[in-house]
Amino acid sequence: MNTIYNMYKKGLCALCLLATVGMSVSAQQIRTSYFMQSSTARTTMNPAFRPDRGYVSIPVLGAFGVSYGTNGVAVNNFIYPKNGETVTFMDNSVNTESFLNGLKDENQINMDFGTQVLSGGWYAGKGFWTVDVSIKGLANIRAPKTLFEFMKKGNGSQSTYDIRNIRAYAEAYLETGVGYSRPITDKLTVGGKVKLLWGVGSMDATIDQMYAEMGETSWKITSTGTLQTNMKGLVPEMEVDEQGRDYYNSFDFDSPGLSGFGMGVDLGATYQLTENIILSAAVLDLGFIHWGKGGSTVGKLDGTFDFNGFDLAIGENNGDIPSMGDQFDAIKEDFDNLLHFKKEGESGNTTRLRSTINIGGEYRLLKNKLGIGLLSSTRLYSPKAYTELTLSGNYRPVKWFEATLSYSFIHSKFKTYGIALNFSPSWINFFIGSDYMLTKITPQGLPVSGNAMNLYMGVSVPLKSFAD
Amino acid sequence: MKNKHLVMLLLSSCCLAACVDSKYDLGNVSTDEVVMGESWIAPLGTGYVTSDDVVNVEKVPSIREVDGAYVMIYDGEMKIKGAGLRAVSDKVEIASEDITTGDIDGLFDGNFVLALANPHVTLMSNATKASLDCRLAIEAKNVNQEETTSSDFTLSAASPNIWIGPLDPKTEAFEFVKNEKLPGIVQIVPREIRLSLSADSKQWANAPADALSELRYSVELPLSPAPEFSAVSVERIEDAFDEDFVDYIFSDGSAKIYGEVTNDMPFDISLEMVIMDENNMPVDIQFPAQEVKGQSGEVVFEITKEDMPKMKDARHIDLNLHLKGRDQNEALKKGQKISFDLKLKKEGGISI
């Protein structure tokens, strides 16, 4: 039972931590800015895009943001106000059926971040070059509805649970990239970026299956899963279970370092279909990271819990029967074993980048003072891809200012909209925006009822380097 | 100017679009009333009470095992008095024995009614050379009560061994002499039993000197309860409620302890559960007594939501087994058990 408690607390902390991480770092892209001509940030969404002028970003603040998205669940599915307090779905005041009705069969939370430590772009002839050094990362957690049914219902009305595919994944890496774009014809511009990736760390913990048969005469629970971490400086603390097997109890951080190496490319193109219509497409983050064996941790979950009741020491028949307290402690230890990843050794592994596919089209009118754009953006998370379709209205009233309003059809659900502003007087380029303006957020910045949010901002200094 | 106004409008919409809802403060989440699952069913435990626990065998030295059954036996030899005794009536006492039976008092904890189905007295003699019409008077006494009964029989070569009791042993080894008052003698839980054997004065005077020289007696009280039998055996589950266990299970909601009781022993049972605190005082939760008649029965003890707060002091369980006799004549045997297979149903979740 301590394990349940600890799982619960750790899970809650992990959610909050991931949320906090998500808030403190930056997102991969902001779709609302895709059609903003003066934005330097949009080169990250399509390497064929070229800003009006070259630029050098302000270190760390060049392009900075966060994104958070779920497949339908929101903070208010898990957190509830109660008599002036904030309680979780596990509070006894939360109705089981209404809580479960708000969940999907598979519930996934994704978070991305990416900040350009250094970046710059300049024109050289017809070509436009970019270089950048960025830190990127992502985290996602996934839990099936059956897990929450088990946690909320117990076994009073259902004695068998088959809980599959609980997963927590996170990775962070350093990216150095060189990009180049060039018009091929009057109408077609292509671009690409080659990236070298330096793995900082990755963690992948999966409980493939937790099968519970919990009748009134016996409880039998089995668990299977795997754990793989790759991070220099991450030192596992081992414990020994009752069968004498080493298992990972916790982790300490020592001196960090790089744990993997990889490569990636971004490819993009724009095509001016008519004087007013521009089509564009890009594939981002095609690549991989190979994580080395050094600094890796491999664990296997293969637990069994059997409980047929306590031995009741009635009357004088208690000579050889342990006390109830000792029996209860032993059961708690057995239950803990269900979640002990046993040591399997070390091994390297290769992970692919979560690629993004952007396809867009813009119609410009009123001498390019107004544009209407439609963007389809698909991000290939594991195991599922998440697609967003964004309609935007782009307003360019003066040369130094551009604003865009957008609506994302799949995640906004008529609760939110996107807005982006770009200021580009001659001495600075400042950008801020979000695809999901939040009407109601937690003090930590997460949307209360929305299932997506992001925030993106960047500051750079324009160069006297203009497009031909 | 128009452009400036538009920019200001857009900036304002950015700033005002979001509002912080402090009701969803993730940094201040209360976990005070967190529970896991709303309803749980689990095996609680199994245990048993043996016949050695129910009957205080170690306190009653006279208990012996006969064909696996418990029998209190007081036996010995009665010394035959000489034939020259002067008769004052038509019967003359030829032998007597005072038997101390005080250990019977320790048979069960507390008060009990020792209604046995087949207490009996046997006499084994070497009467082969005479035929004597005899009477065995049996007097039982305890501190407050005294009961007597007697049986008439003939000791002879044909019937040297006598069985006095309410039930026919159906054996050729003894001559059966029915005495239905003998169970009543035993029921007072005597501290002493006096056996007095008398013979016809004339027959005894004319009998040869060695007509009756050996006479062994045995007062045998098989623990075969009669319907009127009642006793209480209190069996404790020491430290049944671990502090953590109480915190998890019995801090909120309601609970039901239920299950099956199987009974090898020749008693029907009325089972009371009393939850005690660490000072051996009841925590004041009243459970209706559960009847287990025959070989098995279901028991249910419900701890209501109102009683649940009292469980915070729970430490031990006393099982008060009210034992009652049955109509059938069955003997209590060594190794017989009353077994408990208990389950727990918890409504309101497990506190974590």
Side-chain angles (χ1 to χ4, degrees), chain B residues 59-188:
Chain B
K59 290 184 181 175
V60 186
S62 59
I63 287 186
R64 300 180 204 170
E65 250 185 275
V66 178
D67 298 331
Y70 284 125
V71 182
M72 286 180 289
I73 298 176
Y74 306 89
D75 58 357
E77 193 158 342
M78 295 177 79
K79 191 176 177 184
I80 309 298
K81 297 174 181 174
L85 288 171
R86 184 181 173 195
V88 295
S89 66
D90 58 342
K91 293 284 186 190
V92 59
E93 184 182 72
I94 61 173
S96 65
E97 188 70 26
D98 291 316
I99 305 166
T100 301
T101 57
D103 61 345
I104 297 178
D105 199 35
L107 202 54
F108 295 96
D109 298 323
N111 296 324
F112 58 93
V113 177
L114 192 63
L116 300 180
N118 188 27
H120 53 268
V121 178
T122 62
L123 297 174
M124 299 178 73
S125 73
N126 64 346
T128 55
K129 296 179 180 174
S131 178
L132 297 170
D133 293 333
C134 296
R135 170 176 292 170
L136 182 69
I138 306 167
E139 297 174 18
K141 283 195 288 192
N142 65 17
V143 177
N144 304 315
Q145 290 174 282
E146 188 172 332
E147 292 285 339
T148 62
T149 186
S150 63
S151 293
D152 294 333
F153 50 87
T154 300
L155 285 175
S156 65
S159 56
N161 301 330
I162 305 297
W163 178 294
I164 301 168
L167 301 176
D168 187 347
K170 297 189 175 6
T171 171
E172 293 181 356
F174 289 95
E175 179 74 18
F176 173 59
V177 179
K178 189 165 187 170
N179 186 326
E180 291 182 318
K181 289 186 176 176
L182 203 50
I185 293 279
V186 176
Q187 196 163 317
I188 67 168

